């Protein structure tokens, strides 16, 4: 139940007033802040000055991308009069139930999908100038939600960091090629949200000159893409990328997928044609539009390993002039500190159900079926003997993990050269899922182990010391400090191991040696 609003406050500092709803916790208080478009009302959780924080949810940073604005670049939101409630999460670009996911990421209906959520420990004067972390959610660029309870900024607020989570258009809507429409609409949404932070975060206690962007999976790919994007450089000062999934879709692949989608939808492959199809129709068909026409599932796996994700930032020669790693190699973003890493077995679990059948197939033969060149597979299997001993399913799953995620860590770190770069691995295996799998590191990074959804992926007693270690390193980077181990840029290969076995040092000399055959 939404509390009865208090009278509108005036001034530029946050005002605290008492909610009148009997359903509101007794420690909850309204808080208000100004934005360039108007005043917003959030909710304080906890007692002021006693470790609580305020949440401002669903603040629009752009007009709803519907009607004439569908497939358009984001348009700044129109100012409003009075005080706008920011008490509930705004609409998400993710629609409906995405099914079982490793991170709880709910869908919220509505048109105003371009919004931000702000969590701040400041409720008094607005001259606190605290560091800021801006989180971009993952989901393969086709799903995901900024409304996850794991992305609540409470722990960062406790440590004196303002936290912002942002939304962006997904799938074809955000990244598909459309004749007559601006390219990379989802990436333009990232830029618009970061500009909102620059223009408004001081009113929430944040310092616009100390903004760190962070994200996981596609969100990790997003922050690396932004790091390598000339237009984004004034909008942040450092980056943390968890399990980054790059896209860098070629113009040819993007056009081909859009033409096929138009054919499936029965419309012309133009802005007018796609606008004549409903959002539900295009969303339902976008996955089919990128599947192999032969229906060969193995061909689909080969396509993912060779070409990457089908929807995502496109190298358009305009906003995105060149692929991410090429831009980093040329020096774009070299002035910004970067921390990046991956879990040891991101996607190994996807083959667990096939382990019984695959145990009868030699690993070398399985790799040959994936068209892995002979010399490459020999070198890779030689460098991954320990994983190979766990069975063909385990080593194939590790190969997928390495191609999609872990080799990216090395490529990015090497491309950055002398630019300040720290590399890590998250090696703690899940007691419920066996592996150090995709998404397992997120609740540790946010230090939100108390959330009830965490037990499904991390068990009933996840190690708090591990959360303190990785969350503490994140706080250090956001504050502008060294995250706590020797950078790769000083000694290539140097890797911090979070949650490794007792026999493995916290810092190793060549933590990603096992992926070198893929480079």
């Amino acid at each position: 139940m939404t509390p009865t609003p208090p009278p509108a406050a005036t001034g530029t500092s946050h005002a605290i007033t008492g909610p009148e709803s009997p359903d509101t916790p007794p420690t909850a208080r309204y808080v208000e802040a100004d934005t360039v478009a108007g005043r917003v009302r959030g909710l304080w959780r906890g007692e002021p000055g006693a470790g609580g924080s305020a949440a401002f949810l669903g603040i629009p940073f752009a007009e709803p991308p519907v009607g004439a604005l569908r497939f358009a670049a984001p348009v700044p939101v129109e100012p409003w009069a009075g005080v706008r409630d920011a008490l509930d999460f705004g609409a998400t670009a993710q629609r409906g139930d995405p099914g079982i996911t490793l991170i709880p990421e709910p869908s919220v209906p509505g048109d105003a999908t371009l919004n931000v959520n702000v969590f701040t420990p400041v409720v008094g004067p607005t001259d606190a100038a605290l560091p800021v972390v801006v989180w971009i959610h993952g989901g393969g660029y086709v799903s995901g939600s900024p409304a996850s309870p794991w992305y609540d900024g409470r722990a960062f607020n406790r440590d004196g960091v303002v936290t912002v989570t942002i939304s962006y258009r997904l799938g074809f809507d955000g990244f598909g090629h459309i004749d007559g429409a601006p390219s990379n609409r989802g990436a333009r949404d990232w830029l618009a949200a970061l500009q909102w932070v620059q223009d408004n975060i001081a009113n929430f206690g944040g310092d616009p000159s100390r903004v760190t962007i962070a994200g996981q999976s596609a969100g990790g790919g997003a922050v690396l893409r932004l790091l390598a994007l000339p237009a984004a450089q004034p909008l942040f000062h450092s980056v943390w990328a968890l399990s980054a999934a790059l896209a860098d879709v070629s113009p040819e692949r993007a056009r081909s997928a859009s033409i096929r989608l138009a054919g499936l939808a029965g419309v012309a492959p133009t802005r007018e044609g796609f606008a004549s199809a409903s959002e539900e129709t295009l969303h339902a068909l976008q996955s089919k539009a990128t599947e192999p026409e032969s229906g060969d599932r193995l061909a689909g796996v080969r396509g993912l390993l060779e070409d990457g994700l089908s929807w995502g930032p496109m190298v358009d020669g305009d906003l995105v002039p060149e692929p991410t790693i090429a831009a980093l190699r040329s020096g774009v973003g070299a002035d910004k500190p970067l921390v990046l890493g991956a879990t040891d077995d991101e996607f190994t679990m996807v083959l667990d159900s096939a382990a019984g059948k695959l145990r009868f197939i030699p690993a070398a033969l399985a790799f040959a079926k994936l068209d892995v060149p002979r010399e490459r597979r020999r070198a890779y299997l030689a460098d991954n003997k320990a994983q190979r001993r766990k069975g063909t399913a385990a080593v194939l799953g590790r190969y997928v993990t390495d191609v999609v995620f872990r080799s990216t860590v090395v490529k990015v770190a090497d491309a950055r050269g002398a630019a300040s770069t720290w590399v890590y691995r998250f090696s703690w295996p899940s007691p419920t899922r066996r592996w150090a799998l995709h998404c397992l590191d997120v609740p540790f990074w946010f230090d939100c182990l108390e959330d009830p959804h965490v037990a499904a992926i991390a068990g009933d007693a996840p190690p708090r010391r591990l959360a303190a270690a990785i969350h503490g390193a994140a706080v250090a980077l956001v504050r502008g400090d060294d995250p706590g181990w020797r950078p790769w840029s000083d000694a290539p290969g140097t890797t911090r191991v979070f949650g490794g076995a007792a026999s493995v040092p916290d810092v190793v000399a060549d933590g990603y040696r096992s992926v070198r055959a893929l480079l």
Side-chain angles (χ1 to χ4, degrees), residues 77-94:
V77 66
E78 288 289 328
W80 58 82
V83 183
R84 182 182 187 126
D85 277 344
L87 304 173
D88 300 295
F89 285 109
T92 60
Q94 175 178 273

Side-chain angles (χ1 to χ4, degrees), residues 5-76:
T10 59
T12 57
S13 63
H14 298 269
I16 303 178
T17 54
E20 299 173 11
S21 168
D23 294 334
T24 304
T27 55
R29 297 290 185 272
Y30 291 107
V31 287
E32 294 181 0
D34 285 326
T35 73
V36 295
R39 197 166 180 83
V40 291
R41 176 183 296 123
L43 203 64
W44 179 263
R45 298 92 54 89
E47 293 294 340
S53 67
F56 294 84
L57 307 177
I59 306 172
F61 66 81
E63 286 292 301
V66 297
L69 297 182
R70 188 181 182 192
F71 307 131
V75 174

